[in-house]
Amino acid sequence: MYQIVFSDVDGTLLNDQHQMTPLTQQSIIWLHNKQIPFVIVSARSPSGIFPIMEENHFKSHLIAYSGALIMDEYRHILYEKGMKTALAMLIIQKLNAMNITWCVYSFDQWYVQNRQDEKIQREENIVKAQSQEASLDDLLSLPVVHKILCICRPNQTLIVEKQLKKDFPQLTIVKSSDILIEIMEQGINKAQAVKQLCQLWNIPIQKAVAFGDQYNDLDMLLEVGYGWAMGNAPKEIKKQVKYATLDNNHDGIHYALNNMNDEGKKI
């Protein structure tokens, strides 16, 4: 029997209306009754994750910023690793030169250049959290930066990602949607975070289930014993992952858990 379940949020746990479906809610209740931990693993900040738990009446550990910050259900920090602020400022200057909208995250604080930017307003509506406006001078006082988010136009995302990887090869840079690029400290990814929690609970990684739909989920899906790509995932991801389920609008998590036998294997 699998012993722990990890899930991405956007495009996985939530449908396209950014809501959890009733059948997905039922699956989490079932896991809780079976005393199987359910852990959210997201590029979001903690303040973008905890409302999901509150709205759907469950608590769990969480992995935020794709692994740069791990917290328990009481919001105690178990692990954190960020980039130096001076390096983050070099990235911001580069993004400004490219006219790219950016977000800077430090612990559970979210900083932007202009809250009236329609891209920022859309992001606030999705994650149900509020950003704060900050200048470069304000950001220089931060103790550490856990993530920088780039919000691009769809036709420029791959170009921006390629340029950033060229300019900052020492960092983890990954596309998380058609318009989003995540930048974290070197070595930060969902796979490493999942391994840390499994070690904390003495659970073999082979006994872990994970769900995801994007490129920043791929390392996690390949790391666990039972990695499931959502039906809405890109074909390139589905080709590499062992299992595939229905999409996020059609109860993909519920379907997958219902189609695994007691040994955790797909029927």
Side-chain angles (χ1 to χ4, degrees):
M1 182 67 178
Y2 53 89
Q3 298 178 16
I4 190 168
V5 176
F6 297 95
S7 176
D8 171 52
V9 172
D10 299 293
T12 302
L13 182 66
L14 304 183
N15 61 20
D16 289 349
Q17 286 71 50
H18 310 293
Q19 299 292 325
M20 193 182 299
T21 65
L23 287 179
T24 299
Q25 291 174 325
Q26 288 181 26
S27 291
I28 294 175
I29 293 171
W30 182 85
L31 290 170
H32 177 75
N33 291 338
K34 291 285 186 178
Q35 297 186 320
I36 298 173
F38 177 82
V39 180
I40 288 179
V41 189
S42 177
R44 290 189 181 201
S45 66
S47 60
I49 298 173
F50 280 115
I52 298 171
M53 299 182 188
E54 293 166 0
E55 289 175 10
N56 294 281
H57 311 294
F58 73 93
K59 292 182 179 180
S60 79
H61 284 52
L62 64 85
I63 296 171
Y65 306 134
S66 298
L69 184 64
I70 302 176
M71 304 176 75
D72 67 16
E73 60 187 279
Y74 303 106
R75 309 194 183 196
H76 299 143
I77 295 175
L78 303 178
Y79 171 85
E80 64 89 11
K81 182 180 180 182
M83 68 183 81
K84 293 182 178 179
T85 306
L87 175 57
M89 294 307 98
L90 291 177
I91 299 169
I92 293 301
Q93 291 171 5
K94 180 71 176 182
L95 295 174
N96 283 342
M98 300 171 71
N99 196 29
I100 301 298
T101 298
W102 50 262
C103 303
V104 168
Y105 300 86
S106 178
F107 292 97
D108 201 18
Q109 300 300 309
W110 173 16
Y111 301 99
V112 300
Q113 190 171 31
N114 177 16
R115 282 195 67 203
Q116 301 309 310
D117 185 324
E118 63 179 13
K119 298 184 184 70
I120 298 301
Q121 292 182 345
R122 182 176 63 242
E123 188 70 11
E124 286 188 347
N125 289 334
I126 290 172
V127 302
K128 299 177 182 178
Q130 287 191 348
S131 61
Q132 303 176 50
E133 288 190 356
S135 66
L136 292 184
D137 288 340
D138 295 330
L139 297 177
L140 277 171
S141 64
L142 296 177
V144 68
V145 171
H146 290 100
K147 188 186 80 166
I148 296 174
L149 175 68
C150 311
I151 308 179
C152 312
R153 295 188 301 273
N155 64 350
Q156 67 179 167
T157 306
L158 291 177
I159 298 171
V160 173
E161 180 189 21
K162 183 178 180 180
Q163 186 64 52
L164 290 172
K165 286 182 174 179
K166 178 182 177 181
D167 293 341
F168 304 98
Q170 73 274 36
L171 298 176
T172 298
I173 300 172
V174 62
K175 184 164 73 80
S176 60
S177 81
D178 289 341
I179 62 170
L180 301 179
I181 300 171
E182 319 280 341
I183 307 173
M184 287 81 60
E185 180 58 278
Q186 185 179 42
I188 295 298
N189 57 61
K190 293 184 177 184
Q192 290 302 314
V194 162
K195 286 172 64 176
Q196 286 187 58
L197 273 189
C198 284
Q199 290 169 2
L200 178 66
W201 283 324
N202 294 315
I203 296 174
I205 196 73
Q206 295 81 10
K207 294 288 188 179
V209 177
F211 296 95
D213 73 303
Q214 277 296 340
Y215 294 96
N216 64 331
D217 299 314
L218 183 57
D219 53 7
M220 172 180 70
L221 299 181
L222 295 175
E223 185 71 33
V224 301
Y226 309 102
W228 289 79
M230 301 297 289
N232 46 293
K235 291 180 180 179
E236 293 83 358
I237 293 177
K238 293 178 184 177
K239 288 178 182 178
Q240 297 182 62
V241 177
K242 191 172 182 180
Y243 303 120
T245 185
L246 301 179
D247 65 47
N248 61 317
N249 292 319
H250 295 90
D251 311 298
I253 291 177
H254 177 80
Y255 175 83
L257 294 177
N258 269 11
N259 283 276
M260 296 175 71
N261 64 21
D262 289 340
E263 298 300 317
K265 298 177 183 177
K266 186 179 179 182
I267 296 174

